Amino acid sequence: MNFTKKMFQENATLEDEVHVAGDSESWHIFMIVFQVILALGITFGNTLVIASVWKFEPLRIVSNIFLVNLAVADLLVGILAIPIRIAFVNLPMVRQDMQMFLQELKESLQMSPFCFLWQIASVLLLLASLFTLAAIAIERFVAVRMPFRYIELCTTKRCVLVCAFIWALSILISVLCLAFVKEQLGNTCRMADLVSPTYFKCILAPCIGFVFLVSWVLNMCTFYTARKAVKCSINILRDNKASEWQMLSTYKVTVTAFLVLITFSLCYIPTVVFTAVGILKKYGIFPDVVILLLFANSSMNPIIYGLRLPLFRRAFAKILKRENGSIATSNYSSENA
């Protein structure tokens, strides 16, 4: 048992975790099964989102470019982050041969190259998702507060360039941790044992905090403006079905974007709290529930789209039923209503 605990500590995850939620073999078997199901759900849901936008023309609109970008980041969580965590955290606790393999890997490579790669990928996916949410907030703000300039400002080319910039900036910030490598590495694969706290305090934390703040402020302003406009204009536009539909559609998409941000925040706040505790108190305690909540966020968005946006819901149904044909049911179908 002592050897098992030691192996687990040496191969703790990139999310700065030291396992405390249960060291029993049955617990890790449960974790493996649950994470496999979660990874399959994440992969299936986000692939469905990407395929829907690719296949159905009514969904090929500017605002959905960012939804696809977010789906790509979430998809990578399902096909990379979760399988790696299962292989290097849970499997060694139930299979002796995996423990021996990881020990040999540590002795030959000292685990540091793999650990840094894992850490960079983790930070990269987090930042890509966060920056995409900020881009969605800006796009919705322009759509609601500057509707007459929306077509001019939010072009397809500009949105694609923004997505490229998001990934480039995410890669830059995540790789920047290599400039803050500790002179003496710790015995675990936790980021706190690999990278100087200066990286967290001066780069990562301010960046995440600023983008979170901007996203929340923009979303709240947009939501308030859209709700006020709907209440004031619903009676005036009752005879103009096209204008009424457009306003209600914009409001629905705005609320959906806000729900995505709220869900992201609820799933990531526990991680941020535990990270702060781990850095300040010199230990990293990440209960499995917190890690699973972090991963589960990547499966939430397709569910939100299906529940909130009828065009996505009809697209999902047609893909699953292998049906062809249009998903639009009215002449006013350019905004997912």
Side-chain angles (χ1 to χ4, degrees), residues 222-233:
T222 304
F223 175 76
Y224 176 78
T225 302
R227 185 176 182 181
K228 185 178 180 180
V230 168
K231 287 184 177 180
C232 295
S233 305

Side-chain angles (χ1 to χ4, degrees), residues 15 266-276 286 290-291 293-294:
E15 295 91 354
L266 291 176
C267 291
Y268 272 83
I269 283 176
T271 304
V272 174
V273 171
F274 274 88
T275 301
F286 272 75
V290 174
I291 300 300
L293 187 62
L294 194 70

Side-chain angles (χ1 to χ4, degrees), residues 50 114 138 176 231:
I50 297 171
F114 173 80
I138 295 173
L176 199 58
K231 287 184 177 180

Side-chain angles (χ1 to χ4, degrees), residues 121-133:
S122 176
V123 175
L124 169 62
L125 296 179
L126 166 62
L127 293 176
S129 297
L130 184 58
F131 292 158
T132 302
L133 289 176

Side-chain angles (χ1 to χ4, degrees), residues 10-14 80-81 83-85 87-89 101-102 105-106 109-121 189 194:
E10 290 177 346
N11 300 286
T13 67
L14 61 97
L80 290 178
I84 290 176
R85 183 178 189 274
F88 284 86
V89 174
F101 166 75
L102 290 177
L105 183 63
K106 180 177 176 61
L109 299 179
Q110 296 183 345
M111 284 297 289
S112 55
F114 173 80
C115 286
F116 280 115
L117 179 62
W118 196 357
Q119 295 286 2
I120 290 172
C189 199
L194 302 174

Side-chain angles (χ1 to χ4, degrees), residues 31-318:
M31 288 292 297
I32 291 172
V33 173
F34 190 89
Q35 288 176 106
V36 167
I37 296 174
L38 187 59
L40 291 175
I42 291 172
T43 303
F44 173 77
N46 288 285
T47 300
L48 203 56
V49 172
I50 297 171
S52 296
V53 177
W54 178 270
K55 183 176 181 179
F56 297 104
E57 187 175 355
L59 290 175
R60 296 176 200 159
I61 58 177
V62 170
S63 60
N64 286 347
I65 293 175
F66 296 120
L67 298 189
V68 170
N69 198 58
L70 186 61
V72 170
D74 289 336
L75 180 62
L76 291 176
V77 172
I79 64 179
L80 290 178
I82 295 180
I84 290 176
R85 183 178 189 274
I86 292 174
F88 284 86
V89 174
N90 298 115
L91 277 179
M93 300 299 290
V94 298
R95 289 183 60 89
Q96 186 70 23
D97 55 345
M98 280 293 295
Q99 292 178 353
M100 296 176 63
F101 166 75
L102 290 177
Q103 181 65 23
E104 293 176 358
L105 183 63
K106 180 177 176 61
E107 292 175 354
S108 60
L109 299 179
Q110 296 183 345
M111 284 297 289
S112 55
F114 173 80
C115 286
F116 280 115
L117 179 62
W118 196 357
Q119 295 286 2
I120 290 172
S122 176
V123 175
L124 169 62
L125 296 179
L126 166 62
L127 293 176
S129 297
L130 184 58
F131 292 158
T132 302
L133 289 176
I136 293 174
I138 295 173
E139 183 271 334
R140 284 293 88 199
F141 182 83
V142 174
V144 173
R145 300 295 293 266
M146 295 179 284
F148 297 109
R149 298 195 61 193
Y150 180 81
I151 297 178
E152 173 192 352
L153 296 175
C154 297
T155 64
T156 300
K157 182 179 180 180
R158 286 181 178 177
C159 290
V160 171
L161 289 176
V162 168
C163 290
F165 175 76
I166 285 172
W167 284 100
L169 183 61
S170 300
I171 292 172
L172 175 63
I173 296 176
S174 58
V175 172
L176 199 58
C177 71
L178 297 177
F180 295 88
V181 176
K182 290 184 175 180
E183 294 184 1
Q184 290 186 344
L185 301 180
N187 294 324
T188 74
C189 199
R190 294 183 294 116
M191 200 167 200
D193 287 330
L194 302 174
V195 180
S196 169
T198 304
Y199 174 72
F200 300 98
K201 297 177 182 178
C202 299
I203 297 179
L204 195 59
C207 178
I208 292 176
F210 175 75
V211 177
F212 250 125
L213 180 61
V214 170
S215 300
W216 269 96
V217 170
L218 288 177
N219 269 284
M220 292 180 68
C221 291
T222 304
F223 175 76
Y224 176 78
T225 302
R227 185 176 182 181
K228 185 178 180 180
V230 168
K231 287 184 177 180
C232 295
S233 305
I234 194 67
N235 293 326
I236 300 176
L237 299 176
R238 191 170 297 279
D239 295 332
N240 189 334
K241 295 299 182 182
S243 297
E244 180 185 2
W245 182 93
Q246 186 67 32
M247 178 167 291
L248 292 175
S249 172
T250 301
Y251 177 70
K252 177 175 286 188
V253 175
T254 300
V255 173
T256 302
F258 201 8
L259 288 176
V260 171
L261 177 62
I262 292 174
T263 303
F264 182 90
S265 301
L266 291 176
C267 291
Y268 272 83
I269 283 176
T271 304
V272 174
V273 171
F274 274 88
T275 301
V277 171
I279 293 174
L280 295 176
K281 296 189 176 181
K282 305 297 184 182
Y283 69 92
I285 299 178
F286 272 75
D288 281 324
V289 175
V290 174
I291 300 300
L292 293 180
L293 187 62
L294 194 70
F295 289 150
N297 174 74
S298 296
S299 67
M300 300 292 187
N301 294 336
I303 298 174
I304 295 175
Y305 305 154
L307 293 176
R308 291 285 308 174
L309 305 176
L311 277 187
F312 268 106
R313 184 160 59 247
R314 289 194 289 271
F316 292 167
K318 283 188 174 293

